Amino acid sequence: MAQQASELFENFQQLSPAEFFRKNRQMLGFSGKITSLTIVFHELITNSIDAAEEAGILPEIDVELRKVENDKEHYILRISDNGPGIPEDYIMKVYCSMFAGSKFRNIQSRGQQGLGCSGCVLFSQMTTGKPARVISGYKKDGQLKGVKLKFHMDVEKNVGNLLEKDEIEVDRTGVSIELHLKEVNYSMSEQGAFEYIRRTMIANPHVKITFRDPTGHKYIFKRAADVVPVLPKEVLPHPKGVSADDIKNMAKNSDKRSYKSMLTSELSRMSAKRVEEIQELTRIDMKKRPRNMTFEEAETIVKCFETMKFMAPPTDGLIPIGDEQIEKGIRQILKPELVETITRKPVTYKGGVAFIIEAGIAYGGDAGRIVNAQKKSEIMRFANRVPLSFEKGSCAITQALESIDWKRYGIKDFENAPITLFVNMISTQIPYNSTGKQSIAPEPEILHEIRQSMMKLARKVERYLRKQRSKAEIEFSKS
Amino acid sequence: MAQQASELFENFQQLSPAEFFRKNRQMLGFSGKITSLTIVFHELITNSIDAAEEAGILPEIDVELRKVENDKEHYILRISDNGPGIPEDYIMKVYCSMFAGSKFRNIQSRGQQGLGCSGCVLFSQMTTGKPARVISGYKKDGQLKGVKLKFHMDVEKNVGNLLEKDEIEVDRTGVSIELHLKEVNYSMSEQGAFEYIRRTMIANPHVKITFRDPTGHKYIFKRAADVVPVLPKEVLPHPKGVSADDIKNMAKNSDKRSYKSMLTSELSRMSAKRVEEIQELTRIDMKKRPRNMTFEEAETIVKCFETMKFMAPPTDGLIPIGDEQIEKGIRQILKPELVETITRKPVTYKGGVAFIIEAGIAYGGDAGRIVNAQKKSEIMRFANRVPLSFEKGSCAITQALESIDWKRYGIKDFENAPITLFVNMISTQIPYNSTGKQSIAPEPEILHEIRQSMMKLARKVERYLRKQRSKAEIEFSKS
């Protein structure tokens, strides 16, 4: 019997973001036990490092993963940092409201989407029903304050639900979070939580991480470098990197009195003189109020940008790891025979989004990965210093590196060579393929930069291998 | 200068779902001009087919894509269907509220996430600033009503913003939507909009689609079959397919008076007798009120399910296309020399989620794909009859098919063979890899079923090819 529309819509409902992700948790990366644990490590460690750096603090993170006795599937994870802490009023917002965050700016940062921490709390709650516990030490009006909260996430409302609160004494700032987890598995595999920490250390030699694993073994990853990286600045968008929709939104939310003052203050490389040029070219009156800008005007202005020449985007907003630091990180962790690294000059994709590619090759020593007692080459991918553990097939880094003909560089059997390739992309806007933030979209300029930088390093490896071979031949002919 | 926490959190904000996706549109699949247009076709066509079938109507869809004169980047898309229409009060909710929908049920359906239509309107608005226009004819209390709306999406509030409304006369039910689009490209490539329609027709031989392309050429894809597919039923979840969190949520929202009546009425294969067994095994009093269920109890109950045997999930909720229908679809579109199809029996993944794999091989004729004037083999992937156009590398279908050793089946150079492989997965819960719904997670049972079904068909192709060869040899020896 056919139904009429009014009956078909009886079940119509609006989900909260948290409800949506409860029904679709794989979209946050939670699929599979090993993957799920790595995602939790990733989100919480990333947040700790970002927070400490933003406050100018050399990051120090304690991670403890323990098993609950008599329940081999039940873990408790505690991650504590020495960052600036979270003010009491924001704690539940950070950990219980999806799409909430302080990082929605045009700034190079590890996290970006307001999904990470709250996704971990959601996952913990879904798999164990247990509340989250957070201790935060933070400064307010110069005073050090401490608070300890226990809370649930109210999934329907996308907010936190406080269960217990204590004001406590703390001796420094920082956050400590404790989550119960099930449906996870601690693994030493390439995509597991341990490897995630190891790679984090390679790309962040200024971080100290102490990790106590479920057997009680304590790993101390010491710093290989002692300086907090220069803090990336928020960069104004470049005229070549904005869409008509961006300009229209800028106008809608602007407190400036004219198109002119809006454009000069909210875009980079935009002077009063350039705005006059735009007025001349487009015949749009630049004295008008931004609130009244139409989409067509925004479109005309953006089209005009396309025909104009601008200086490249300012790149002081991009802070690479630096080739020396990468070398330190690689030496400390991989102890290779040979290491070559490079940090390229900033370039752009999509015409106006600046990025930097950094690359490294480690040969010999602990480079490469042992799989079934066989040494294999490995690729380590990073975006703004964060290891990318999954979705490798769709990632620009994998695609660029696999397109290189390694035989040309004297590496006959690349797959079975003792080689680790390292690539890090730095940008205020990493073009991720999906919500999981695990792979970089293969934009042509990005592919090109990765290939170029790695081929440059490959030539150095080739020279090294040639020398080694001729040395061996000389020794052979002597003997 | 180090900042204290209270300053660092000054920028803290909560985004609406629509704002979130405005900043991350690639997560809805909108990246690249060809892809973006295919995504819009996909979302709107899928919705039209689902709506018509749900109302018991044989779907008929008119698609018209035209270019705006003097602007080669500007398209107007109009899609009209003969479905049940949308009641006036729901039109803007469907098209302007993300995470809103009527399909969040345990039912086999093409769409599922409440993101599709509103994502298209968001994309249209972001790229053109133009409003959406919708005409809906629908029945209310047996009366045919018609309404015409013009609206914007209020992205900050995640709701629609009405610009114009007219009550109009209509002569049948159905929805017609018109969207302006820029940053899209109409392409005949494998991932383009035309191919999307073609594949839709193969998997949906009961649908009629008329398509007028931007050059004005009109394609009429006639029905190869004349029956509306049996409507899938909503299926109660199976005890082996639920988590503790599901049971806890069920209890929270249940209007039943006891655990017992809740479990028997909201799970499949659960009788009063089985609940008694559970009470005996767990010592949980099944007369208690659902509202008070703890997570620990839910966990104990789910653990108990794991130790019990249940009949497999009812499969009348799963409606495959059927091997005969697939054959009709393939013959109509590909006109191959040989076609073999199979619809497998329902099986489960994750212990309790039922699914069906259907497969087809077409050999010769228009099977395969012409790339640079060379015939290549091709893989067509479907989930609940919907073509999957992107993310092929991470899809269970691709992975399973690429693991087959085609040489064993007499196909020496699979890559260059005139072959089309067709795989459709039917399930109430397709495990998509990401929000784009473009690839199926490689669960072991799914991989296994795909391999098995395709190898079965491959043996038939092998026999056919062997016969052809010996025929050719006989003719050769005669001559």
Side-chain angles (χ1 to χ4, degrees):
Chain A
M1 169 56 204
Q3 286 191 292
Q4 41 177 51
S6 47
E7 292 159 355
L8 295 170
F9 278 84
E10 272 166 17
N11 292 308
F12 200 86
Q13 43 177 322
Q14 172 74 48
L15 301 185
S16 80
E19 278 179 298
F20 177 79
F21 286 109
R22 175 166 71 194
K23 287 173 193 277
N24 296 284
R25 72 185 198 193
Q26 80 284 1
M27 289 178 192
L28 296 174
F30 293 115
S31 66
K33 293 180 180 185
I34 294 174
T35 306
S36 294
L37 187 61
T38 304
I39 294 281
V40 175
F41 271 58
H42 162 72
E43 298 294 353
L44 299 177
I45 291 175
T46 289
N47 246 52
S48 287
I49 301 179
D50 262 345
E53 285 178 6
E54 202 174 349
I57 298 165
L58 215 47
E60 198 169 321
I61 302 169
D62 283 341
V63 181
E64 189 190 341
L65 182 68
R66 54 179 214 273
K67 270 192 178 160
V68 174
E69 257 180 276
N70 303 323
D71 190 343
K72 64 178 176 1
E73 279 252 302
H74 187 169
Y75 290 86
I76 299 176
L77 174 67
R78 187 189 294 140
I79 295 193
S80 311
D81 66 45
N82 65 341
I86 305 174
E88 187 187 323
D89 293 349
Y90 290 99
I91 294 174
M92 292 204 298
K93 287 182 184 153
V94 167
Y95 291 108
C96 298
S97 298
M98 312 204 84
F99 299 154
S102 52
K103 293 186 196 152
F104 304 115
R105 285 170 295 155
N106 197 34
I107 189 167
Q108 171 192 334
S109 79
R110 293 180 177 77
Q112 212 170 27
Q113 297 167 1
L115 283 175
C117 292
S118 43
C120 296
V121 171
L122 176 66
F123 179 77
S124 160
Q125 182 163 320
M126 283 178 67
T127 57
T128 68
K130 298 268 190 265
R133 284 159 216 265
V134 168
I135 295 172
S136 173
Y138 64 100
K139 279 194 182 152
K140 194 179 173 183
D141 308 325
Q143 294 276 315
L144 184 61
K145 300 199 162 208
V147 66
K148 190 173 158 184
L149 300 186
K150 191 169 122 183
F151 52 84
H152 267 302
M153 178 187 279
D154 181 332
V155 175
E156 278 84 6
K157 300 206 180 96
N158 195 40
V159 296
N161 183 4
L162 188 65
L163 300 174
E164 272 178 40
K165 185 184 115 178
D166 287 304
E167 281 175 23
I168 57 166
E169 295 248 325
V170 289
D171 52 8
R172 61 158 202 195
T173 64
V175 173
S176 171
I177 177 163
E178 187 183 288
L179 294 177
H180 287 248
L181 301 167
K182 290 189 181 181
E183 298 178 38
V184 295
N185 194 350
Y186 175 71
S187 149
M188 300 298 281
S189 76
E190 189 174 354
Q191 305 185 333
F194 182 81
E195 181 64 16
Y196 181 84
I197 293 183
R198 198 168 143 266
R199 292 188 179 186
T200 298
M201 291 306 299
I202 292 183
N204 299 273
H206 64 293
V207 174
K208 181 183 171 191
I209 295 185
T210 315
F211 174 47
R212 194 182 288 272
D213 79 8
T215 67
H217 187 88
K218 194 171 172 184
Y219 299 86
I220 300 174
F221 294 94
K222 283 190 202 147
R223 290 195 178 90
D226 252 347
V227 220
V228 189
V230 180
L231 204 59
K233 284 182 197 146
E234 184 166 357
V235 231
L236 294 176
H238 188 265
K240 300 261 183 185
V242 292
S243 67
D245 190 53
D246 294 332
I247 295 292
K248 177 79 167 61
N249 275 306
M250 196 180 272
K252 198 174 156 198
N253 300 313
S254 179
D255 54 2
K256 293 291 181 290
R257 299 178 59 101
S258 69
Y259 291 9
K260 183 171 168 179
S261 56
M262 178 188 92
L263 294 174
T264 53
S265 65
E266 300 189 29
L267 290 177
S268 68
R269 309 306 192 199
M270 188 61 69
S271 62
K273 205 172 145 242
R274 304 311 305 262
V275 176
E276 276 161 34
E277 276 176 62
I278 295 167
Q279 173 155 332
E280 217 156 279
L281 288 162
T282 62
R283 314 211 162 247
I284 295 173
D285 176 6
M286 291 288 150
K287 288 199 210 74
K288 289 200 284 187
R289 290 205 162 261
R291 302 244 148 190
N292 303 326
M293 187 185 283
T294 63
F295 193 90
E296 286 69 25
E297 284 179 327
E299 231 171 3
T300 309
I301 291 170
V302 167
K303 279 217 180 109
C304 183
F305 290 165
E306 282 167 22
T307 66
M308 296 167 73
K309 282 199 178 157
F310 292 96
M311 279 174 69
T315 50
D316 51 347
L318 297 187
I319 311 293
I321 310 172
D323 49 0
E324 284 179 30
Q325 299 289 319
I326 297 172
E327 191 182 322
K328 280 185 193 165
I330 290 179
R331 283 203 190 283
Q332 168 121 337
I333 305 286
L334 300 179
K335 298 173 186 65
E337 248 173 71
L338 175 76
V339 50
E340 295 290 347
T341 59
I342 187 171
T343 295
R344 302 265 294 182
K345 293 217 181 75
V347 287
T348 62
Y349 74 91
K350 286 200 176 152
V353 186
F355 72 98
I356 294 173
I357 292 295
E358 306 189 88
I361 297 190
Y363 185 92
D366 291 344
R369 209 176 159 71
I370 292 167
V371 182
N372 300 329
Q374 280 271 327
K375 185 74 101 166
K376 299 272 180 190
S377 61
E378 70 176 339
I379 293 173
M380 293 188 176
R381 300 174 290 126
F382 299 81
N384 288 340
R385 298 175 173 239
V386 176
L388 305 175
S389 305
F390 315 108
E391 301 176 14
K392 73 178 167 192
S394 55
C395 185
I397 295 177
T398 319
Q399 290 177 14
L401 298 182
E402 289 184 345
S403 76
I404 294 175
D405 180 6
W406 291 96
K407 291 196 195 79
R408 286 182 48 190
Y409 301 98
I411 300 162
K412 274 170 209 146
D413 183 4
F414 175 72
E415 206 189 315
N416 297 303
I419 285 185
T420 293
L421 303 181
F422 169 106
V423 175
N424 178 39
M425 172 173 175
I426 295 280
S427 179
T428 55
Q429 292 173 49
I430 303 276
Y432 292 111
N433 280 314
S434 72
T435 13
K437 298 186 283 175
Q438 291 292 329
S439 66
I440 298 171
E443 298 285 341
E445 297 88 347
I446 298 174
L447 291 170
H448 176 80
E449 274 294 296
I450 297 169
R451 263 179 70 88
Q452 289 303 315
S453 52
M454 198 53 87
M455 291 194 308
K456 205 152 186 167
L457 300 181
R459 279 192 285 276
K460 294 189 183 173
V461 174
E462 186 194 8
R463 236 169 288 149
Y464 171 80
L465 291 176
R466 211 186 308 128
K467 265 191 211 153
Q468 293 297 99
R469 271 184 216 118
S470 53
K471 229 192 275 175
E473 277 162 23
I474 291 165
E475 274 163 31
F476 180 77
S477 63
K478 275 187 198 157
S479 68
Chain B
M1 168 59 202
Q3 286 191 291
Q4 41 176 50
S6 47
E7 293 158 355
L8 295 170
F9 277 85
E10 272 165 16
N11 292 308
F12 199 86
Q13 43 176 324
Q14 172 75 47
L15 300 186
S16 80
E19 279 179 297
F20 177 79
F21 287 109
R22 176 166 69 194
K23 287 172 193 279
N24 296 283
R25 72 184 197 193
Q26 79 285 2
M27 289 178 191
L28 297 173
F30 294 114
S31 66
K33 293 180 178 182
I34 294 173
T35 307
S36 293
L37 187 60
T38 305
I39 294 280
V40 175
F41 272 57
H42 162 72
E43 298 295 353
L44 298 177
I45 291 175
T46 291
N47 246 51
S48 287
I49 301 179
D50 262 345
E53 285 178 6
E54 203 175 349
I57 299 166
L58 216 46
E60 199 169 319
I61 302 169
D62 283 341
V63 181
E64 189 190 340
L65 182 67
R66 55 178 212 273
K67 269 193 179 161
V68 174
E69 257 180 276
N70 303 323
D71 191 342
K72 64 180 178 356
E73 280 252 301
H74 187 170
Y75 291 86
I76 300 175
L77 174 66
R78 186 189 295 139
I79 296 192
S80 311
D81 66 44
N82 66 341
I86 305 174
E88 187 188 321
D89 293 349
Y90 290 99
I91 295 174
M92 291 204 297
K93 286 183 185 153
V94 166
Y95 291 109
C96 298
S97 298
M98 311 205 85
F99 300 152
S102 53
K103 294 186 193 150
F104 304 115
R105 286 170 296 155
N106 198 33
I107 189 167
Q108 171 192 332
S109 79
R110 292 180 178 77
Q112 211 169 27
Q113 296 166 1
L115 282 175
C117 291
S118 42
C120 295
V121 172
L122 176 66
F123 179 77
S124 161
Q125 182 164 322
M126 282 178 68
T127 58
T128 68
K130 298 268 191 263
R133 283 158 216 266
V134 168
I135 294 173
S136 173
Y138 63 98
K139 279 192 182 154
K140 193 178 173 182
D141 308 325
Q143 296 276 315
L144 183 61
K145 301 198 162 210
V147 68
K148 190 172 157 186
L149 299 187
K150 190 169 121 183
F151 51 84
H152 267 303
M153 179 187 279
D154 182 333
V155 175
E156 278 84 7
K157 300 206 180 94
N158 195 40
V159 297
N161 182 4
L162 188 64
L163 301 174
E164 273 178 42
K165 185 183 114 177
D166 288 305
E167 280 175 27
I168 57 165
E169 294 249 326
V170 290
D171 52 7
R172 61 158 202 196
T173 63
V175 174
S176 171
I177 176 164
E178 186 183 288
L179 293 178
H180 287 249
L181 300 168
K182 289 190 182 181
E183 297 178 37
V184 295
N185 194 350
Y186 175 70
S187 149
M188 301 299 281
S189 75
E190 190 175 355
Q191 304 185 333
F194 182 82
E195 181 64 17
Y196 182 84
I197 293 183
R198 197 167 144 266
R199 293 188 179 186
T200 298
M201 290 308 298
I202 292 184
N204 298 273
H206 65 293
V207 174
K208 181 182 171 194
I209 295 185
T210 314
F211 174 47
R212 194 182 287 272
D213 79 7
T215 68
H217 187 88
K218 194 171 173 184
Y219 299 87
I220 301 174
F221 294 94
K222 283 190 203 148
R223 290 194 178 91
D226 251 346
V227 220
V228 189
V230 181
L231 204 59
K233 285 182 198 147
E234 184 166 357
V235 231
L236 295 176
H238 188 266
K240 300 261 184 188
V242 291
S243 67
D245 189 52
D246 294 332
I247 294 291
K248 176 78 166 59
N249 275 307
M250 195 181 274
K252 198 174 155 199
N253 299 314
S254 179
D255 54 2
K256 294 291 180 291
R257 299 177 59 100
S258 69
Y259 290 10
K260 184 172 169 178
S261 56
M262 178 189 92
L263 293 174
T264 53
S265 64
E266 300 189 27
L267 290 178
S268 68
R269 309 305 193 200
M270 187 62 69
S271 61
K273 205 172 144 240
R274 303 311 305 263
V275 176
E276 276 162 36
E277 276 177 62
I278 295 167
Q279 173 155 331
E280 218 156 278
L281 287 163
T282 62
R283 314 212 162 248
I284 295 173
D285 176 6
M286 290 289 148
K287 287 201 210 73
K288 290 201 285 186
R289 288 204 162 260
R291 302 245 147 189
N292 302 326
M293 186 185 282
T294 63
F295 193 91
E296 286 68 26
E297 285 179 326
E299 229 171 5
T300 309
I301 291 170
V302 168
K303 279 218 179 109
C304 183
F305 291 164
E306 282 166 22
T307 66
M308 296 167 73
K309 282 200 177 154
F310 292 96
M311 279 174 67
T315 50
D316 51 347
L318 296 187
I319 311 295
I321 310 174
D323 48 1
E324 284 179 31
Q325 299 289 319
I326 298 172
E327 192 182 322
K328 279 185 194 165
I330 290 179
R331 283 203 190 283
Q332 168 121 338
I333 305 285
L334 300 180
K335 300 172 184 64
E337 248 173 69
L338 175 76
V339 50
E340 295 291 347
T341 58
I342 188 171
T343 295
R344 302 266 294 180
K345 293 217 181 75
V347 286
T348 61
Y349 74 91
K350 285 200 176 151
V353 186
F355 72 98
I356 294 173
I357 291 295
E358 307 188 88
I361 299 190
Y363 185 91
D366 290 343
R369 205 173 164 73
I370 292 168
V371 182
N372 301 330
Q374 281 270 327
K375 187 74 104 167
K376 300 272 179 188
S377 61
E378 69 176 340
I379 293 174
M380 293 187 177
R381 301 173 290 126
F382 299 82
N384 289 340
R385 297 175 172 237
V386 175
L388 305 176
S389 305
F390 314 107
E391 300 176 17
K392 72 178 168 192
S394 54
C395 185
I397 295 177
T398 319
Q399 290 176 14
L401 298 183
E402 289 186 345
S403 76
I404 294 175
D405 180 6
W406 292 95
K407 291 197 194 76
R408 286 182 49 190
Y409 301 98
I411 300 163
K412 273 168 210 147
D413 183 5
F414 174 73
E415 207 189 312
N416 297 304
I419 285 185
T420 293
L421 303 181
F422 170 105
V423 175
N424 178 38
M425 172 173 177
I426 295 280
S427 179
T428 55
Q429 293 172 48
I430 302 276
Y432 291 110
N433 279 315
S434 72
T435 14
K437 296 186 284 174
Q438 291 292 329
S439 67
I440 298 170
E443 298 284 341
E445 297 88 346
I446 299 173
L447 290 171
H448 177 81
E449 274 294 297
I450 297 169
R451 264 178 70 88
Q452 288 303 313
S453 52
M454 198 53 85
M455 291 194 308
K456 206 152 186 166
L457 300 180
R459 278 191 285 276
K460 295 189 183 173
V461 174
E462 186 193 8
R463 235 169 289 149
Y464 171 80
L465 291 177
R466 211 186 306 129
K467 266 190 211 155
Q468 293 298 99
R469 270 185 218 117
S470 52
K471 230 193 273 176
E473 278 163 22
I474 291 166
E475 275 165 30
F476 180 76
S477 63
K478 275 187 198 158
S479 67

